[in-house]
Amino acid sequence: MQTGNVTTPFGRRPMTLALVKGQLATAKIKAGKTVDKWKVYRSACEARTVLGLRDRALAVLNALLSFYPEQELSEESNLIVFPSNAQLAVRANGIAGTTLRENLALLVQAGLIQRHDSPNGKRYARKGSDGEIEAAYGFSLAPLLARAEELATLAHQVAEESRQRRFIKERITITRRDIRKLITAAVEEGAAGNWQAVEHELVAAVARLKTAKTTAALKECLDELTLLSEETINMLECQLIPQKTDVNDSGNRQHIQNSNTESLNELEPSSRHEQGAKAAGRPRRNVEPLRAFPLNMVLRACPQISDYAAGGVISHWRDLMSAAVVVRSTLGVSPSAYQEACEAMGPESAAIAMACVLERAGHIHSPGGYLRDLTRRTERGEFSLGPMLMSLLRAQEPGAAGSLASG
């Protein structure tokens, strides 16, 4: 077969190292390998955005494949087709000559075909005395055979990303609808709360959504809208769900306090004297735990916390809580202040609060006193992490300005 040779293009077309690399890779096709030509063509079509191809280039590729007589591309067969430009144009839906040449060049550049030029640049085949083709000059389809698995993988990745984008857009639509209708219901029925501020946050989030083009950007918009939705629901839940009685909830409060204390002790040991003093001097409160937020959102809003993690990387909530203890010590927050925050907010939310304090450390005179104030406001049901996180998220955007709301 002809695929093992490195050949240079005819005329003024330059030879490049990329072409050499492609021809060498083609020469390493496994002996006896075959692939359905239309299956690999479909993979190329599905992966066209990754390959940088347009529809007309794919139409030309389709035409080239139609000149290959067999259904399967085979390593044992001649993989060079040699139609004239006129023949190609007819099978490519009457494409103009200039456009045909441009798209042939694009297919070569994308590594889907290779030129195998004759001495005079013409495309033809020379047959032997037995009628078999001895030499052929035209376009080699060997790269399609060599890259069949790669193209199938690219096609799968493109399809998966497309599926993910559709899912994210669906969730964005539903979340926007939920927030809008919840705001309307709250305003019309007189629910307490700064609904104008929530409306402002929704408008700002939708404005950022209009400029989101990539899947990652859409995911960030979804995270922001999800956070706003959680905050909206949390504001309504505090008003609509009645407080549980002390009798029914005493067991739950004991369980929450024990769980928080156990989690805290793993990260920040405290003395028996401190624990005893709090038990005797401060009454137990029925504190509803704050809602959890996506870890990746917290890290986008508070990137500095990663500098205090082991290895500089936070992959799990446990990493964040460990880093928060280091930050507590660095900022001079007492163990008792942090433990009280853990008991009131929950360990994860206390770690988030500590990360937020770190981001705003330059504007806070006493980090310990600030954290105690957040703890007291949490116990009274007056504080939520959502607005603070959203404010910090906006501050991380290029050109962001303005003060940071503490919630």
Side-chain angles (χ1 to χ4, degrees), residues 292-335:
F293 302 98
L295 180 59
N296 66 335
M297 178 184 294
V298 174
L299 297 180
R300 290 206 315 272
C302 308
Q304 294 185 53
I305 190 73
S306 296
D307 296 336
Y308 295 83
V313 177
I314 293 178
S315 303
H316 306 284
W317 283 104
R318 173 61 57 181
D319 300 335
L320 179 69
M321 290 187 287
S322 298
V325 172
V326 179
V327 171
R328 176 207 64 73
S329 177
T330 302
L331 295 182
V333 177
S334 68

Side-chain angles (χ1 to χ4, degrees), residues 66-88:
S66 71
F67 284 98
Y68 183 77
E70 306 298 331
Q71 177 73 16
E72 290 191 334
L73 301 175
S74 173
E75 183 271 341
E76 298 175 348
S77 303
N78 171 62
L79 292 174
I80 296 175
V81 293
F82 39 90
S84 65
N85 280 357
Q87 292 172 315
L88 267 178

Side-chain angles (χ1 to χ4, degrees), residues 180 197-210 228:
R180 168 62 59 201
V198 178
E199 171 75 17
H200 176 74
E201 295 292 347
L202 177 60
V203 172
V206 171
R208 283 186 285 274
L209 178 62
K210 293 179 180 179
L228 182 57

Side-chain angles (χ1 to χ4, degrees), residues 197-228:
V198 178
E199 171 75 17
H200 176 74
E201 295 292 347
L202 177 60
V203 172
V206 171
R208 283 186 285 274
L209 178 62
K210 293 179 180 179
T211 62
K213 304 300 182 183
T214 64
T215 302
L218 288 171
K219 181 63 168 60
E220 290 184 4
C221 290
L222 176 58
D223 287 344
E224 185 175 356
L225 286 168
T226 301
L227 175 59
L228 182 57

Side-chain angles (χ1 to χ4, degrees), residues 181-384:
K181 293 198 172 186
L182 288 172
I183 293 174
T184 301
V187 172
E188 291 180 350
E189 299 185 30
N194 190 352
W195 300 110
Q196 185 176 0
V198 178
E199 171 75 17
H200 176 74
E201 295 292 347
L202 177 60
V203 172
V206 171
R208 283 186 285 274
L209 178 62
K210 293 179 180 179
T211 62
K213 304 300 182 183
T214 64
T215 302
L218 288 171
K219 181 63 168 60
E220 290 184 4
C221 290
L222 176 58
D223 287 344
E224 185 175 356
L225 286 168
T226 301
L227 175 59
L228 182 57
S229 176
E230 292 285 343
E231 284 305 305
T232 304
I233 295 172
N234 195 36
M235 289 170 64
L236 293 173
E237 185 177 11
C238 291
Q239 301 178 56
L240 300 178
I241 304 301
Q243 296 291 324
K244 297 178 182 179
T245 64
D246 290 341
V247 175
N248 292 337
D249 199 40
S250 59
N252 291 337
R253 288 202 307 272
Q254 183 66 40
H255 173 72
I256 292 173
Q257 179 165 343
N258 290 343
S259 298
N260 288 347
T261 303
E262 291 170 3
S263 298
L264 178 66
N265 287 344
E266 294 178 8
L267 298 174
E268 185 71 28
S270 57
S271 67
R272 295 181 180 272
H273 175 73
E274 281 184 321
Q275 295 178 13
K278 283 195 290 292
R282 189 162 56 91
R284 298 181 185 269
R285 295 175 174 86
N286 177 23
V287 179
E288 181 178 355
L290 296 176
R291 294 180 180 273
F293 302 98
L295 180 59
N296 66 335
M297 178 184 294
V298 174
L299 297 180
R300 290 206 315 272
C302 308
Q304 294 185 53
I305 190 73
S306 296
D307 296 336
Y308 295 83
V313 177
I314 293 178
S315 303
H316 306 284
W317 283 104
R318 173 61 57 181
D319 300 335
L320 179 69
M321 290 187 287
S322 298
V325 172
V326 179
V327 171
R328 176 207 64 73
S329 177
T330 302
L331 295 182
V333 177
S334 68
S336 62
Y338 188 62
Q339 182 165 328
E340 289 173 9
C342 288
E343 292 173 352
M345 304 178 184
E348 294 85 357
S349 294
I352 296 174
M354 202 71 253
C356 293
V357 171
L358 175 64
E359 289 294 322
R360 303 184 58 192
H363 305 280
I364 297 174
H365 177 68
S366 172
Y370 185 79
L371 184 63
R372 287 187 187 276
D373 179 63
L374 295 183
T375 300
R376 288 192 294 269
R377 292 168 60 189
T378 299
E379 292 171 336
R380 296 194 301 266
E382 298 174 355
F383 172 71
S384 177

